Amino acid sequence: MVRVENLAKSGIKSIPKEYVRPEEELINMGDVFEQEKKKEGPEVPTVDLKEMESEDEEVRRSCRERLKKAAEEWGVMQLVNHGIPIELINAVKESGEAFFALPVEEKEKYANEQSSGNVQGYGSKLANNASGQLEWQDYLFHLIFPEDKCDLSIWPKTPSRYTEVTSEYARHLRKLASKILGMLSLGLGLEEGRLEEEVGGMEELLLQLKINYYPICPQPEKALGVEAHTDVSSLTFLLHNMVPGLQLFYHGKWVTAKCVPDSILMHVGDTIEILSNGKYKSILHRGMVNKEKIRISWAVFCEPPKDKIVLKPLPELVSDAEPARFPPRTFTQHIQHKLFRKTEEPVGADQTK
């Protein structure tokens, strides 16, 4: 298996053809640093969660409304004052950076075996599309919550604090997920605990961590770190090392997300889009690369159990005027449906149906 990190360090001036994206995907690529500095144009909304601690119900309601509006219009937002200690977030980032700073042969001890269906561990993406294209990234992927379902034997032993800080972060993030799901439920006129119950509750909702490592790329205008997709999760929480690269397809144009210090970027995933009957959006997004700085991101996907729950629009949100926009499917069936659609349709086609 070729690791992208090794390719990047080999001194190549042009990338192998399997990393070159087709012309239609290369729209709006440009320089990601210049795009992030742009003052004009649409920006990912920011939601200040500190307002949810207010004793004034009007302040709390106003915060819920802003979150609801961001979920309806964008499906992605920057969360600030989210309640997770910044020292802990920095420790999580330092641990991930230390793992990827290890020699590739050391990281290979944690290599996954995708061919046998074991995706947990250190890896690089296998081509799963007809053209056999690859993404300019290596990654580390594993379950981080619930704790009793985690396989700690595949978690990195170096750096030594990795398990401690990652587990602590998972516990905090699980509480934050409950809070956000509650706010989104109320925004739909439902009981506060409804969406969380629908995605598996405290026992069944799985938190999967994927640390994406995007090496410097000699031809960033031709490659992608992650191809355009929507997340299948209920929610996705994202940290990064303050190097820009995330782009969102908003109103027909690619918008580069700004790097907001101490924030957590949160996506609404397909699961919540389906349950809300399309009221909340799962936005198409992609990951850019550059030739100046390594980019690292920490994505945590909050996923429902694979086969236990049938995902479909909630009956309270379906009417003659607004019929169900999505057929009933388990989470596994939804993933398989998306993979099938991906081989049949052009990039950017609506793959949530």
Side-chain angles (χ1 to χ4, degrees), residues 29-60:
M29 293 288 263
D31 182 303
V32 76
F33 295 103
E34 291 304 315
Q35 290 173 352
E36 198 240 356
K37 285 184 197 135
K38 269 188 193 170
K39 293 282 189 281
E40 71 284 352
E43 268 189 44
V44 174
T46 296
V47 176
D48 187 344
L49 290 178
K50 193 173 187 183
E51 293 174 10
M52 287 307 291
E53 309 307 317
S54 170
E55 290 178 10
D56 185 337
E57 170 53 30
E58 195 49 40
V59 173
R60 296 199 302 275

PDB file of all heavy atoms in Angstrom, residues 29-60:
ATOM      1  N   MET A  29     -10.937  25.584  -7.644  1.00  0.00           N
ATOM      2  CA  MET A  29      -9.867  25.064  -6.792  1.00  0.00           C
ATOM      3  C   MET A  29      -9.060  26.234  -6.237  1.00  0.00           C
ATOM      4  O   MET A  29      -9.143  26.549  -5.082  1.00  0.00           O
ATOM      5  CB  MET A  29      -8.992  24.080  -7.569  1.00  0.00           C
ATOM      6  CG  MET A  29      -9.730  22.811  -7.937  1.00  0.00           C
ATOM      7  SD  MET A  29     -10.055  21.724  -6.543  1.00  0.00           S
ATOM      8  CE  MET A  29      -8.717  20.593  -6.687  1.00  0.00           C
ATOM      9  N   GLY A  30      -8.292  26.914  -7.079  1.00  0.00           N
ATOM     10  CA  GLY A  30      -7.564  28.104  -6.635  1.00  0.00           C
ATOM     11  C   GLY A  30      -6.660  27.860  -5.442  1.00  0.00           C
ATOM     12  O   GLY A  30      -6.404  26.728  -5.049  1.00  0.00           O
ATOM     13  N   ASP A  31      -6.180  28.947  -4.858  1.00  0.00           N
ATOM     14  CA  ASP A  31      -5.288  28.898  -3.695  1.00  0.00           C
ATOM     15  C   ASP A  31      -6.130  28.978  -2.428  1.00  0.00           C
ATOM     16  O   ASP A  31      -6.812  29.958  -2.173  1.00  0.00           O
ATOM     17  CB  ASP A  31      -4.297  30.066  -3.753  1.00  0.00           C
ATOM     18  CG  ASP A  31      -3.316  30.038  -2.591  1.00  0.00           C
ATOM     19  OD1 ASP A  31      -3.771  30.045  -1.431  1.00  0.00           O
ATOM     20  OD2 ASP A  31      -2.099  30.009  -2.834  1.00  0.00           O
ATOM     21  N   VAL A  32      -6.078  27.925  -1.627  1.00  0.00           N
ATOM     22  CA  VAL A  32      -6.956  27.826  -0.461  1.00  0.00           C
ATOM     23  C   VAL A  32      -6.639  28.909   0.582  1.00  0.00           C
ATOM     24  O   VAL A  32      -7.521  29.387   1.297  1.00  0.00           O
ATOM     25  CB  VAL A  32      -6.896  26.403   0.135  1.00  0.00           C
ATOM     26  CG1 VAL A  32      -5.638  26.159   0.908  1.00  0.00           C
ATOM     27  CG2 VAL A  32      -8.115  26.105   0.967  1.00  0.00           C
ATOM     28  N   PHE A  33      -5.387  29.358   0.653  1.00  0.00           N
ATOM     29  CA  PHE A  33      -5.012  30.417   1.608  1.00  0.00           C
ATOM     30  C   PHE A  33      -5.618  31.753   1.189  1.00  0.00           C
ATOM     31  O   PHE A  33      -6.114  32.510   2.024  1.00  0.00           O
ATOM     32  CB  PHE A  33      -3.486  30.534   1.718  1.00  0.00           C
ATOM     33  CG  PHE A  33      -2.838  29.309   2.291  1.00  0.00           C
ATOM     34  CD1 PHE A  33      -2.176  28.406   1.477  1.00  0.00           C
ATOM     35  CD2 PHE A  33      -2.914  29.039   3.654  1.00  0.00           C
ATOM     36  CE1 PHE A  33      -1.589  27.263   1.997  1.00  0.00           C
ATOM     37  CE2 PHE A  33      -2.325  27.900   4.184  1.00  0.00           C
ATOM     38  CZ  PHE A  33      -1.668  27.009   3.352  1.00  0.00           C
ATOM     39  N   GLU A  34      -5.594  32.025  -0.129  1.00  0.00           N
ATOM     40  CA  GLU A  34      -6.197  33.267  -0.632  1.00  0.00           C
ATOM     41  C   GLU A  34      -7.710  33.241  -0.419  1.00  0.00           C
ATOM     42  O   GLU A  34      -8.317  34.227  -0.012  1.00  0.00           O
ATOM     43  CB  GLU A  34      -5.889  33.434  -2.136  1.00  0.00           C
ATOM     44  CG  GLU A  34      -4.428  33.714  -2.457  1.00  0.00           C
ATOM     45  CD  GLU A  34      -3.885  34.946  -1.736  1.00  0.00           C
ATOM     46  OE1 GLU A  34      -4.592  35.980  -1.727  1.00  0.00           O
ATOM     47  OE2 GLU A  34      -2.786  34.861  -1.151  1.00  0.00           O
ATOM     48  N   GLN A  35      -8.318  32.099  -0.699  1.00  0.00           N
ATOM     49  CA  GLN A  35      -9.774  31.984  -0.570  1.00  0.00           C
ATOM     50  C   GLN A  35     -10.217  32.155   0.880  1.00  0.00           C
ATOM     51  O   GLN A  35     -11.256  32.749   1.156  1.00  0.00           O
ATOM     52  CB  GLN A  35     -10.238  30.631  -1.115  1.00  0.00           C
ATOM     53  CG  GLN A  35     -10.118  30.550  -2.625  1.00  0.00           C
ATOM     54  CD  GLN A  35     -10.402  29.167  -3.166  1.00  0.00           C
ATOM     55  OE1 GLN A  35     -10.554  28.218  -2.414  1.00  0.00           O
ATOM     56  NE2 GLN A  35     -10.473  29.044  -4.475  1.00  0.00           N
ATOM     57  N   GLU A  36      -9.410  31.642   1.816  1.00  0.00           N
ATOM     58  CA  GLU A  36      -9.791  31.749   3.226  1.00  0.00           C
ATOM     59  C   GLU A  36      -9.743  33.195   3.708  1.00  0.00           C
ATOM     60  O   GLU A  36     -10.473  33.587   4.617  1.00  0.00           O
ATOM     61  CB  GLU A  36      -8.849  30.880   4.081  1.00  0.00           C
ATOM     62  CG  GLU A  36      -9.414  30.591   5.464  1.00  0.00           C
ATOM     63  CD  GLU A  36      -8.554  31.099   6.610  1.00  0.00           C
ATOM     64  OE1 GLU A  36      -7.461  31.618   6.358  1.00  0.00           O
ATOM     65  OE2 GLU A  36      -9.002  30.991   7.759  1.00  0.00           O
ATOM     66  N   LYS A  37      -8.890  34.012   3.078  1.00  0.00           N
ATOM     67  CA  LYS A  37      -8.744  35.419   3.511  1.00  0.00           C
ATOM     68  C   LYS A  37      -9.833  36.323   2.954  1.00  0.00           C
ATOM     69  O   LYS A  37      -9.961  37.468   3.363  1.00  0.00           O
ATOM     70  CB  LYS A  37      -7.378  35.954   3.050  1.00  0.00           C
ATOM     71  CG  LYS A  37      -6.207  35.429   3.868  1.00  0.00           C
ATOM     72  CD  LYS A  37      -4.912  36.088   3.394  1.00  0.00           C
ATOM     73  CE  LYS A  37      -3.723  35.277   3.887  1.00  0.00           C
ATOM     74  NZ  LYS A  37      -2.715  35.073   2.847  1.00  0.00           N
ATOM     75  N   LYS A  38     -10.599  35.835   1.976  1.00  0.00           N
ATOM     76  CA  LYS A  38     -11.628  36.659   1.333  1.00  0.00           C
ATOM     77  C   LYS A  38     -12.559  37.294   2.355  1.00  0.00           C
ATOM     78  O   LYS A  38     -13.040  36.628   3.257  1.00  0.00           O
ATOM     79  CB  LYS A  38     -12.465  35.795   0.382  1.00  0.00           C
ATOM     80  CG  LYS A  38     -11.945  35.739  -1.032  1.00  0.00           C
ATOM     81  CD  LYS A  38     -12.977  35.021  -1.891  1.00  0.00           C
ATOM     82  CE  LYS A  38     -12.398  34.659  -3.240  1.00  0.00           C
ATOM     83  NZ  LYS A  38     -13.310  33.766  -3.968  1.00  0.00           N
ATOM     84  N   LYS A  39     -12.832  38.571   2.175  1.00  0.00           N
ATOM     85  CA  LYS A  39     -13.723  39.272   3.098  1.00  0.00           C
ATOM     86  C   LYS A  39     -15.177  39.218   2.601  1.00  0.00           C
ATOM     87  O   LYS A  39     -16.115  39.226   3.374  1.00  0.00           O
ATOM     88  CB  LYS A  39     -13.295  40.744   3.241  1.00  0.00           C
ATOM     89  CG  LYS A  39     -11.941  40.927   3.924  1.00  0.00           C
ATOM     90  CD  LYS A  39     -12.061  40.767   5.444  1.00  0.00           C
ATOM     91  CE  LYS A  39     -10.781  41.149   6.151  1.00  0.00           C
ATOM     92  NZ  LYS A  39      -9.745  40.124   6.116  1.00  0.00           N
ATOM     93  N   GLU A  40     -15.336  39.187   1.265  1.00  0.00           N
ATOM     94  CA  GLU A  40     -16.700  39.214   0.720  1.00  0.00           C
ATOM     95  C   GLU A  40     -17.234  37.798   0.507  1.00  0.00           C
ATOM     96  O   GLU A  40     -16.487  36.829   0.558  1.00  0.00           O
ATOM     97  CB  GLU A  40     -16.741  40.018  -0.594  1.00  0.00           C
ATOM     98  CG  GLU A  40     -16.075  39.351  -1.795  1.00  0.00           C
ATOM     99  CD  GLU A  40     -14.551  39.401  -1.778  1.00  0.00           C
ATOM    100  OE1 GLU A  40     -13.973  40.083  -0.918  1.00  0.00           O
ATOM    101  OE2 GLU A  40     -13.943  38.724  -2.625  1.00  0.00           O
ATOM    102  N   GLY A  41     -18.535  37.716   0.261  1.00  0.00           N
ATOM    103  CA  GLY A  41     -19.145  36.409  -0.015  1.00  0.00           C
ATOM    104  C   GLY A  41     -19.678  35.729   1.236  1.00  0.00           C
ATOM    105  O   GLY A  41     -19.449  36.182   2.363  1.00  0.00           O
ATOM    106  N   PRO A  42     -20.398  34.612   1.049  1.00  0.00           N
ATOM    107  CA  PRO A  42     -21.026  33.917   2.188  1.00  0.00           C
ATOM    108  C   PRO A  42     -19.994  33.292   3.124  1.00  0.00           C
ATOM    109  O   PRO A  42     -18.911  32.894   2.685  1.00  0.00           O
ATOM    110  CB  PRO A  42     -21.886  32.841   1.526  1.00  0.00           C
ATOM    111  CG  PRO A  42     -21.299  32.649   0.165  1.00  0.00           C
ATOM    112  CD  PRO A  42     -20.667  33.942  -0.228  1.00  0.00           C
ATOM    113  N   GLU A  43     -20.333  33.248   4.414  1.00  0.00           N
ATOM    114  CA  GLU A  43     -19.449  32.636   5.418  1.00  0.00           C
ATOM    115  C   GLU A  43     -20.219  31.631   6.251  1.00  0.00           C
ATOM    116  O   GLU A  43     -21.384  31.844   6.566  1.00  0.00           O
ATOM    117  CB  GLU A  43     -18.900  33.716   6.362  1.00  0.00           C
ATOM    118  CG  GLU A  43     -17.583  34.293   5.910  1.00  0.00           C
ATOM    119  CD  GLU A  43     -16.958  35.185   6.970  1.00  0.00           C
ATOM    120  OE1 GLU A  43     -16.955  34.807   8.159  1.00  0.00           O
ATOM    121  OE2 GLU A  43     -16.491  36.281   6.615  1.00  0.00           O
ATOM    122  N   VAL A  44     -19.552  30.554   6.628  1.00  0.00           N
ATOM    123  CA  VAL A  44     -20.162  29.547   7.504  1.00  0.00           C
ATOM    124  C   VAL A  44     -20.627  30.250   8.784  1.00  0.00           C
ATOM    125  O   VAL A  44     -19.849  30.978   9.417  1.00  0.00           O
ATOM    126  CB  VAL A  44     -19.144  28.440   7.854  1.00  0.00           C
ATOM    127  CG1 VAL A  44     -19.718  27.470   8.880  1.00  0.00           C
ATOM    128  CG2 VAL A  44     -18.732  27.683   6.588  1.00  0.00           C
ATOM    129  N   PRO A  45     -21.891  30.073   9.191  1.00  0.00           N
ATOM    130  CA  PRO A  45     -22.391  30.765  10.389  1.00  0.00           C
ATOM    131  C   PRO A  45     -21.704  30.286  11.673  1.00  0.00           C
ATOM    132  O   PRO A  45     -21.271  29.134  11.771  1.00  0.00           O
ATOM    133  CB  PRO A  45     -23.885  30.434  10.413  1.00  0.00           C
ATOM    134  CG  PRO A  45     -24.062  29.263   9.509  1.00  0.00           C
ATOM    135  CD  PRO A  45     -22.935  29.263   8.534  1.00  0.00           C
ATOM    136  N   THR A  46     -21.612  31.186  12.647  1.00  0.00           N
ATOM    137  CA  THR A  46     -21.047  30.880  13.967  1.00  0.00           C
ATOM    138  C   THR A  46     -22.179  30.868  14.991  1.00  0.00           C
ATOM    139  O   THR A  46     -23.036  31.756  14.985  1.00  0.00           O
ATOM    140  CB  THR A  46     -19.988  31.927  14.363  1.00  0.00           C
ATOM    141  OG1 THR A  46     -18.904  31.850  13.433  1.00  0.00           O
ATOM    142  CG2 THR A  46     -19.447  31.684  15.766  1.00  0.00           C
ATOM    143  N   VAL A  47     -22.179  29.851  15.851  1.00  0.00           N
ATOM    144  CA  VAL A  47     -23.183  29.760  16.922  1.00  0.00           C
ATOM    145  C   VAL A  47     -22.451  29.740  18.255  1.00  0.00           C
ATOM    146  O   VAL A  47     -21.581  28.895  18.492  1.00  0.00           O
ATOM    147  CB  VAL A  47     -24.060  28.488  16.770  1.00  0.00           C
ATOM    148  CG1 VAL A  47     -25.030  28.358  17.947  1.00  0.00           C
ATOM    149  CG2 VAL A  47     -24.821  28.515  15.447  1.00  0.00           C
ATOM    150  N   ASP A  48     -22.785  30.713  19.132  1.00  0.00           N
ATOM    151  CA  ASP A  48     -22.161  30.827  20.455  1.00  0.00           C
ATOM    152  C   ASP A  48     -23.013  30.058  21.472  1.00  0.00           C
ATOM    153  O   ASP A  48     -24.093  30.498  21.848  1.00  0.00           O
ATOM    154  CB  ASP A  48     -22.065  32.297  20.841  1.00  0.00           C
ATOM    155  CG  ASP A  48     -21.263  32.511  22.122  1.00  0.00           C
ATOM    156  OD1 ASP A  48     -21.051  31.519  22.873  1.00  0.00           O
ATOM    157  OD2 ASP A  48     -20.849  33.654  22.376  1.00  0.00           O
ATOM    158  N   LEU A  49     -22.499  28.903  21.896  1.00  0.00           N
ATOM    159  CA  LEU A  49     -23.295  28.044  22.791  1.00  0.00           C
ATOM    160  C   LEU A  49     -23.308  28.526  24.233  1.00  0.00           C
ATOM    161  O   LEU A  49     -24.065  28.001  25.057  1.00  0.00           O
ATOM    162  CB  LEU A  49     -22.768  26.602  22.733  1.00  0.00           C
ATOM    163  CG  LEU A  49     -23.032  25.862  21.412  1.00  0.00           C
ATOM    164  CD1 LEU A  49     -22.431  24.472  21.454  1.00  0.00           C
ATOM    165  CD2 LEU A  49     -24.527  25.770  21.109  1.00  0.00           C
ATOM    166  N   LYS A  50     -22.501  29.545  24.538  1.00  0.00           N
ATOM    167  CA  LYS A  50     -22.504  30.068  25.916  1.00  0.00           C
ATOM    168  C   LYS A  50     -23.888  30.591  26.283  1.00  0.00           C
ATOM    169  O   LYS A  50     -24.303  30.562  27.442  1.00  0.00           O
ATOM    170  CB  LYS A  50     -21.464  31.191  26.031  1.00  0.00           C
ATOM    171  CG  LYS A  50     -21.164  31.579  27.469  1.00  0.00           C
ATOM    172  CD  LYS A  50     -20.018  32.568  27.564  1.00  0.00           C
ATOM    173  CE  LYS A  50     -19.647  32.798  29.005  1.00  0.00           C
ATOM    174  NZ  LYS A  50     -18.581  33.808  29.141  1.00  0.00           N
ATOM    175  N   GLU A  51     -24.608  31.039  25.271  1.00  0.00           N
ATOM    176  CA  GLU A  51     -25.953  31.597  25.501  1.00  0.00           C
ATOM    177  C   GLU A  51     -26.916  30.539  26.036  1.00  0.00           C
ATOM    178  O   GLU A  51     -27.919  30.875  26.660  1.00  0.00           O
ATOM    179  CB  GLU A  51     -26.492  32.209  24.206  1.00  0.00           C
ATOM    180  CG  GLU A  51     -25.695  33.430  23.776  1.00  0.00           C
ATOM    181  CD  GLU A  51     -26.115  33.957  22.421  1.00  0.00           C
ATOM    182  OE1 GLU A  51     -27.144  33.498  21.885  1.00  0.00           O
ATOM    183  OE2 GLU A  51     -25.408  34.830  21.896  1.00  0.00           O
ATOM    184  N   MET A  52     -26.610  29.269  25.800  1.00  0.00           N
ATOM    185  CA  MET A  52     -27.484  28.210  26.319  1.00  0.00           C
ATOM    186  C   MET A  52     -27.374  28.059  27.835  1.00  0.00           C
ATOM    187  O   MET A  52     -28.185  27.393  28.466  1.00  0.00           O
ATOM    188  CB  MET A  52     -27.164  26.869  25.635  1.00  0.00           C
ATOM    189  CG  MET A  52     -27.641  26.794  24.196  1.00  0.00           C
ATOM    190  SD  MET A  52     -29.396  27.185  23.981  1.00  0.00           S
ATOM    191  CE  MET A  52     -30.167  25.765  24.761  1.00  0.00           C
ATOM    192  N   GLU A  53     -26.350  28.684  28.432  1.00  0.00           N
ATOM    193  CA  GLU A  53     -26.178  28.640  29.892  1.00  0.00           C
ATOM    194  C   GLU A  53     -26.920  29.786  30.581  1.00  0.00           C
ATOM    195  O   GLU A  53     -26.967  29.870  31.806  1.00  0.00           O
ATOM    196  CB  GLU A  53     -24.679  28.720  30.266  1.00  0.00           C
ATOM    197  CG  GLU A  53     -23.769  27.720  29.545  1.00  0.00           C
ATOM    198  CD  GLU A  53     -24.245  26.290  29.673  1.00  0.00           C
ATOM    199  OE1 GLU A  53     -24.647  25.889  30.784  1.00  0.00           O
ATOM    200  OE2 GLU A  53     -24.223  25.568  28.654  1.00  0.00           O
ATOM    201  N   SER A  54     -27.485  30.692  29.791  1.00  0.00           N
ATOM    202  CA  SER A  54     -28.152  31.862  30.357  1.00  0.00           C
ATOM    203  C   SER A  54     -29.391  31.457  31.160  1.00  0.00           C
ATOM    204  O   SER A  54     -30.063  30.472  30.835  1.00  0.00           O
ATOM    205  CB  SER A  54     -28.559  32.822  29.231  1.00  0.00           C
ATOM    206  OG  SER A  54     -29.395  33.842  29.730  1.00  0.00           O
ATOM    207  N   GLU A  55     -29.676  32.234  32.196  1.00  0.00           N
ATOM    208  CA  GLU A  55     -30.901  31.997  32.978  1.00  0.00           C
ATOM    209  C   GLU A  55     -32.119  32.588  32.281  1.00  0.00           C
ATOM    210  O   GLU A  55     -33.254  32.302  32.641  1.00  0.00           O
ATOM    211  CB  GLU A  55     -30.739  32.590  34.385  1.00  0.00           C
ATOM    212  CG  GLU A  55     -29.731  31.806  35.213  1.00  0.00           C
ATOM    213  CD  GLU A  55     -29.520  32.396  36.591  1.00  0.00           C
ATOM    214  OE1 GLU A  55     -30.302  33.304  36.971  1.00  0.00           O
ATOM    215  OE2 GLU A  55     -28.587  31.958  37.273  1.00  0.00           O
ATOM    216  N   ASP A  56     -31.862  33.429  31.281  1.00  0.00           N
ATOM    217  CA  ASP A  56     -32.941  34.094  30.555  1.00  0.00           C
ATOM    218  C   ASP A  56     -33.420  33.183  29.406  1.00  0.00           C
ATOM    219  O   ASP A  56     -32.672  32.914  28.466  1.00  0.00           O
ATOM    220  CB  ASP A  56     -32.417  35.429  29.996  1.00  0.00           C
ATOM    221  CG  ASP A  56     -33.512  36.253  29.330  1.00  0.00           C
ATOM    222  OD1 ASP A  56     -34.532  35.661  28.918  1.00  0.00           O
ATOM    223  OD2 ASP A  56     -33.338  37.479  29.219  1.00  0.00           O
ATOM    224  N   GLU A  57     -34.641  32.718  29.486  1.00  0.00           N
ATOM    225  CA  GLU A  57     -35.184  31.808  28.468  1.00  0.00           C
ATOM    226  C   GLU A  57     -35.148  32.442  27.079  1.00  0.00           C
ATOM    227  O   GLU A  57     -34.936  31.763  26.066  1.00  0.00           O
ATOM    228  CB  GLU A  57     -36.622  31.395  28.847  1.00  0.00           C
ATOM    229  CG  GLU A  57     -37.406  30.652  27.765  1.00  0.00           C
ATOM    230  CD  GLU A  57     -36.680  29.427  27.182  1.00  0.00           C
ATOM    231  OE1 GLU A  57     -35.883  28.772  27.889  1.00  0.00           O
ATOM    232  OE2 GLU A  57     -36.892  29.137  25.986  1.00  0.00           O
ATOM    233  N   GLU A  58     -35.316  33.761  27.020  1.00  0.00           N
ATOM    234  CA  GLU A  58     -35.320  34.452  25.723  1.00  0.00           C
ATOM    235  C   GLU A  58     -33.945  34.349  25.050  1.00  0.00           C
ATOM    236  O   GLU A  58     -33.835  34.149  23.835  1.00  0.00           O
ATOM    237  CB  GLU A  58     -35.700  35.930  25.930  1.00  0.00           C
ATOM    238  CG  GLU A  58     -36.095  36.673  24.663  1.00  0.00           C
ATOM    239  CD  GLU A  58     -37.117  35.933  23.801  1.00  0.00           C
ATOM    240  OE1 GLU A  58     -38.065  35.331  24.335  1.00  0.00           O
ATOM    241  OE2 GLU A  58     -36.930  35.946  22.565  1.00  0.00           O
ATOM    242  N   VAL A  59     -32.880  34.436  25.854  1.00  0.00           N
ATOM    243  CA  VAL A  59     -31.503  34.318  25.328  1.00  0.00           C
ATOM    244  C   VAL A  59     -31.277  32.893  24.821  1.00  0.00           C
ATOM    245  O   VAL A  59     -30.711  32.676  23.746  1.00  0.00           O
ATOM    246  CB  VAL A  59     -30.461  34.686  26.419  1.00  0.00           C
ATOM    247  CG1 VAL A  59     -29.041  34.401  25.948  1.00  0.00           C
ATOM    248  CG2 VAL A  59     -30.609  36.151  26.816  1.00  0.00           C
ATOM    249  N   ARG A  60     -31.749  31.914  25.596  1.00  0.00           N
ATOM    250  CA  ARG A  60     -31.600  30.509  25.183  1.00  0.00           C
ATOM    251  C   ARG A  60     -32.391  30.227  23.896  1.00  0.00           C
ATOM    252  O   ARG A  60     -31.905  29.557  22.997  1.00  0.00           O
ATOM    253  CB  ARG A  60     -32.057  29.552  26.301  1.00  0.00           C
ATOM    254  CG  ARG A  60     -31.207  29.626  27.562  1.00  0.00           C
ATOM    255  CD  ARG A  60     -31.390  28.386  28.435  1.00  0.00           C
ATOM    256  NE  ARG A  60     -32.754  28.159  28.851  1.00  0.00           N
ATOM    257  CZ  ARG A  60     -33.334  28.709  29.919  1.00  0.00           C
ATOM    258  NH1 ARG A  60     -32.637  29.536  30.693  1.00  0.00           N
ATOM    259  NH2 ARG A  60     -34.584  28.432  30.237  1.00  0.00           N
TER     260      ARG A  60
END
